Amino acid sequence: MTRKNTFILITILVLIFIVFYGNHLLQTKKSSATNSKSSEKTQIYDKDFDVNVNLPYKEISSYAAYKDNVYMSAADNSPSGMANKIIQYNRKTNKVETLFTTKFDSSSIQGLKANDKWVTWVDSDDFGDQKNIYIMNTKTREIEPITKENDKSIKNEFPVLADNYLAWIYFDQNKNQSYVMIRDLKTHRNKTVFNLKTHTLDNAFLSIQDGKILFTDIREGKSYCYLYNISTHKLEEFQSPHKKIGWGELLNDHQIVYLAFFTESFADNKLVLFDTQTKKANEFSSKYMEVNGLRVDGSNHVFVGTGVSNHFQKYQIDNGNIKKIGEIEDNDIFDMTANNGVYLMKIETKNKDEKLIITSKLPE
């Protein structure tokens, strides 16, 4: 399969996800926060403050937090039924502020990331044909695009943030080539870090911890993990003992977790811990795990969602040892994030009611 055909396959899969994801969304009726209960609203439950707040948006599709502020992409009377705004929720005041409104008639805003200086997201049309990455300075509230808007020759993937740097993967259709890019947010300059040999749904996203960017690639039938040090500009290469890998997450500055795939079925996967110092790989299970959700929190915890459970399993990595420490007790977890010391868990019940749980403590 050519790189172009592979990217077309990725685009089709993303479109299927967007259509599937959009089918369960409903139109919202109001545009300000309220504390009254309604099935047409998304509830926020802040465990740290023991506060419940209902937001006038049926759908919250992506989210990120830094200290008192939680940033969310939300559907507010959206024609597509998917997110058309970026909102900011303050945990102390319970106030909601709109930061950005889509530039598309029918949209899907996703890929939110935040730190103490910046907030980033992807504004896309509902078919995923156009994906524009934006960055907002949290102090000045100035918003700027990272690449030329609506450039049909470029397809951007979701970005990651580290201090004053943004990194992402994009596919240049004119050159039939995928690149790992990094942008200095102070100088507004983009730099090519790596030319990817393969670009599939397995390695379309980056991970970042401790000033290092992780990405994976397959070259000449062998899988590799790459670490790029932002401050030193040093690129390190590590060959994986597994033939096909993806979904890489950087646990800390030298340990990586990734999925190893063994058949054509995505469900036939195992979670692997790889240490770049010892060059050793340790599988979490001797059996296929059917992992469909994977998150790390920067404190050596790994959260794993599987196809046979709506819980997230919790693991602790200590000196290369893998220890399962239980499951998150909340039922119906659709997804979660674990960044900047804040855990955000999206609960979606069988009745399609939604709740976003916020806590700074390790979920029990």
Side-chain angles (χ1 to χ4, degrees), residues 54-69:
N54 285 330
L55 299 183
Y57 314 106
K58 176 58 183 175
E59 169 62 18
I60 302 295
S61 59
S62 65
Y63 29 86
Y66 187 82
K67 291 188 175 179
D68 293 332
N69 292 314

Side-chain angles (χ1 to χ4, degrees), residues 28-34 40-42 54-58 75-76 96:
T28 59
K29 295 183 178 180
K30 298 181 181 179
S31 60
S32 62
T34 176
E40 294 300 314
K41 300 185 175 85
T42 294
N54 285 330
L55 299 183
Y57 314 106
K58 176 58 183 175
D76 184 16
V96 175

Side-chain angles (χ1 to χ4, degrees), residues 228-240:
Y228 178 79
N229 189 306
I230 296 174
S231 60
T232 64
H233 311 293
K234 181 181 178 181
L235 180 67
E236 297 178 277
E237 175 185 285
F238 305 94
Q239 184 178 340
S240 167

Side-chain angles (χ1 to χ4, degrees), residues 172-177 179:
D172 188 326
Q173 295 188 105
N174 292 335
K175 297 181 179 180
N176 194 30
Q177 175 66 52
Y179 303 89

Side-chain angles (χ1 to χ4, degrees), residues 74-302:
D76 184 16
N77 294 311
S78 170
S80 66
M82 292 179 279
N84 61 344
K85 287 185 177 180
I86 298 292
I87 62 174
Q88 175 182 312
Y89 169 73
N90 187 284
R91 300 174 65 190
K92 288 186 175 180
T93 66
N94 305 135
K95 291 184 178 179
V96 175
E97 178 183 359
T98 298
L99 302 177
F100 175 85
T101 301
T102 183
K103 298 186 179 182
F104 295 98
D105 294 332
S106 190
S107 65
S108 175
I109 300 178
Q110 301 180 60
L112 259 170
K113 296 289 188 300
N115 63 18
D116 59 330
K117 304 179 182 71
W118 309 94
V119 180
T120 185
W121 61 87
V122 175
D123 186 23
S124 170
D125 63 11
D126 56 349
F127 284 103
D129 290 333
Q130 297 297 320
K131 295 180 180 178
N132 299 321
I133 299 177
Y134 291 95
I135 192 79
M136 186 191 80
N137 185 308
T138 56
K139 184 177 181 179
T140 66
R141 298 302 176 100
E142 180 181 358
I143 298 173
E144 65 172 323
I146 294 304
T147 57
K148 183 180 178 181
E149 295 170 289
N150 302 328
D151 187 337
K152 294 183 178 181
S153 67
I154 294 177
K155 300 293 184 181
N156 293 307
E157 301 292 1
F158 294 168
V160 293
L161 267 174
D163 194 30
N164 290 307
Y165 293 89
L166 183 80
W168 76 102
I169 294 175
Y170 84 92
F171 175 73
D172 188 326
Q173 295 188 105
N174 292 335
K175 297 181 179 180
N176 194 30
Q177 175 66 52
S178 297
Y179 303 89
V180 177
M181 299 291 296
I182 188 168
R183 181 181 181 88
D184 187 323
L185 297 173
K186 286 187 173 181
T187 65
H188 309 278
R189 293 179 180 176
N190 294 343
K191 175 184 177 181
T192 301
V193 172
F194 194 80
N195 294 3
L196 287 169
K197 185 71 174 179
T198 58
H199 184 186
T200 70
L201 199 60
D202 301 333
N203 72 331
F205 307 106
L206 306 176
S207 177
I208 196 162
Q209 292 284 357
D210 299 322
K212 291 184 177 181
I213 300 170
L214 166 70
F215 53 93
T216 61
D217 200 7
I218 298 177
R219 294 172 177 264
E220 298 179 351
K222 298 178 182 180
S223 291
Y224 296 89
C225 297
Y226 295 89
L227 291 181
Y228 178 79
N229 189 306
I230 296 174
S231 60
T232 64
H233 311 293
K234 181 181 178 181
L235 180 67
E236 297 178 277
E237 175 185 285
F238 305 94
Q239 184 178 340
S240 167
H242 297 90
K243 186 175 181 181
K244 184 181 179 183
I245 66 173
W247 280 36
E249 290 284 350
L250 189 55
L251 189 64
N252 48 55
D253 65 348
H254 68 282
Q255 290 179 313
I256 298 165
V257 288
Y258 61 72
L259 289 185
F261 305 100
F262 296 91
T263 70
E264 293 300 318
S265 171
F266 181 87
D268 295 336
N269 60 51
K270 293 181 181 180
L271 187 60
V272 179
L273 172 67
F274 181 80
D275 193 309
T276 62
Q277 294 178 348
T278 64
K279 310 298 190 298
K280 293 183 178 180
N282 190 4
E283 295 180 357
F284 280 58
S285 170
S286 60
K287 300 178 180 179
Y288 292 150
M289 296 181 67
E290 298 183 45
V291 175
N292 57 23
L294 177 61
R295 299 288 184 267
V296 299
D297 67 355
S299 298
N300 288 355
H301 293 114
V302 181

